[in-house]
Amino acid sequence: MSMMADMMGSMTMPETTGMDMTMMQQCVEACSAASMAATMCADADAGESMGRCASMCMNCADVATAMMRMMMRPSGYDMGVMRSMMTACMAMGEACAAECDMHADMSEHCRICASACRAMVAACAACMSSMPA
């Protein structure tokens, strides 16, 4: 079991959370991976004079990190805000993946970043589907 699962198991979760903890854990982990990949891709992009891709990657990293941090604070959940943030996270992940896809044939870091972003989008969508209406 991961540290995150151990921490979540040790916390008192408000009844209003109503989120599937397994899906949430997968989403947090996917957001973390996308944030790391996008940060590293942005750094590589900057060295290759790919300004737009670097900016998209940094924005994606910031949104993914914010989403991850929100999910790690269950006592402050508001389902409307969580849904809005997840929607924004998925939109940013899709946009970043699309930008990186344009460079993936010549930049391995862009291919890896696009893949991580798509995995984050899928994990967020799965997590969102488990949220109460």
Side-chain angles (χ1 to χ4, degrees), residues 49-82:
S49 299
M50 294 193 300
R52 176 167 169 74
C53 192
S55 292
M56 292 288 284
C57 286
M58 286 311 300
N59 287 340
C60 186
D62 289 345
V63 171
T65 298
M67 181 76 259
M68 176 183 65
R69 291 176 56 89
M70 284 178 67
M71 286 187 286
M72 291 188 299
R73 299 184 199 115
S75 61
Y77 280 1
D78 175 281
M79 278 305 127
V81 173
M82 288 298 284

Side-chain angles (χ1 to χ4, degrees), residues 7-76:
M7 283 297 293
M8 290 181 128
S10 74
M11 296 170 71
T12 304
M13 302 296 264
E15 289 180 25
T16 57
T17 301
M19 291 178 66
D20 179 306
M21 290 298 122
T22 300
M23 295 249 189
M24 193 170 107
Q25 178 182 349
Q26 291 168 356
C27 190
V28 167
E29 290 170 357
C31 286
S32 177
S35 177
M36 288 185 281
T39 297
M40 294 172 80
C41 189
D43 186 62
D45 289 343
E48 297 170 359
S49 299
M50 294 193 300
R52 176 167 169 74
C53 192
S55 292
M56 292 288 284
C57 286
M58 286 311 300
N59 287 340
C60 186
D62 289 345
V63 171
T65 298
M67 181 76 259
M68 176 183 65
R69 291 176 56 89
M70 284 178 67
M71 286 187 286
M72 291 188 299
R73 299 184 199 115
S75 61

